[in-house]
């Protein structure tokens, strides 16, 4: 029942901008921490940015100052605004939702991903 659907990926030149969206359904969105992860060919998936239910944000050092994560609880959507894009930002970007079970751990939900390619 849980679905995360990403959109907004594409091909841009170095220095360009792109805005990714992730529409969520089947979860209590306003109570759920959300995040963006990316995976480049031959590399491990890495955390790009995350936002708590209360709006606290964290970023990877490599994107600090260039990317901004935000959420709209009314639309059940999380966004990733990316500016000053670099070739090393090229990857498949995945949306993540983390459901907490307290002492029992967490359950992670993932979208299928959207391709971002930065090239001249």
């Amino acid at each position: 029942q849980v679905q995360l659907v990403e959109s907004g990926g594409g091909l841009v030149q170095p220095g360009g901008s792109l805005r990714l969206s992730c529409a969520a359904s089947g979860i209590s969105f306003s109570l759920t921490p959300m995040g963006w992860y990316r995976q480049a060919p031959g590399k491990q998936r890495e955390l790009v940015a995350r936002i708590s239910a209360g709006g606290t944000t964290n970023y990877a050092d490599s994107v600090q100052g260039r990317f901004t994560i935000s959420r709209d609880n009314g639309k059940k959507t999380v966004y990733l605004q990316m500016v000053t894009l670099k070739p090393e930002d090229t990857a498949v970007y995945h949306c993540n939702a983390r459901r907490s079970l307290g002492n029992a751990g967490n359950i992670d939900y993932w979208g299928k991903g959207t391709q971002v390619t930065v090239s001249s």
Side-chain angles (χ1 to χ4, degrees):
Q1 184 180 358
V2 176
Q3 283 195 313
L4 303 173
V5 181
E6 303 97 333
S7 61
L11 173 64
V12 296
Q13 294 185 331
S17 301
L18 212 57
R19 188 196 194 201
L20 306 183
S21 299
C22 172
S25 62
I27 61 172
S28 299
F29 183 84
S30 64
L31 303 177
T32 303
M34 303 292 296
W36 287 96
Y37 292 72
R38 68 186 181 188
Q39 186 168 26
K43 297 188 65 177
Q44 187 176 348
R45 182 173 61 193
E46 66 173 344
L47 174 68
V48 176
R50 59 188 175 193
I51 184 168
S52 73
T56 301
T57 59
N58 288 280
Y59 300 92
D61 289 343
S62 59
V63 307
Q64 183 74 45
R66 299 188 299 118
F67 291 11
T68 303
I69 188 171
S70 62
R71 64 192 298 157
D72 185 329
N73 289 340
K75 293 182 171 60
K76 294 185 177 181
T77 301
V78 61
Y79 304 95
L80 186 67
Q81 180 67 54
M82 306 181 292
V83 300
T84 319
L85 283 161
K86 305 175 180 180
E88 50 261 46
D89 295 319
T90 296
V92 177
Y93 284 70
H94 294 268
C95 181
N96 165 264
R98 177 161 288 183
R99 175 186 173 188
S100 175
L101 300 177
N103 292 332
N106 302 297
I107 299 177
D108 283 303
Y109 301 97
W110 299 93
K112 293 183 178 180
T114 185
Q115 177 71 47
V116 172
T117 303
V118 185
S119 177
S120 60

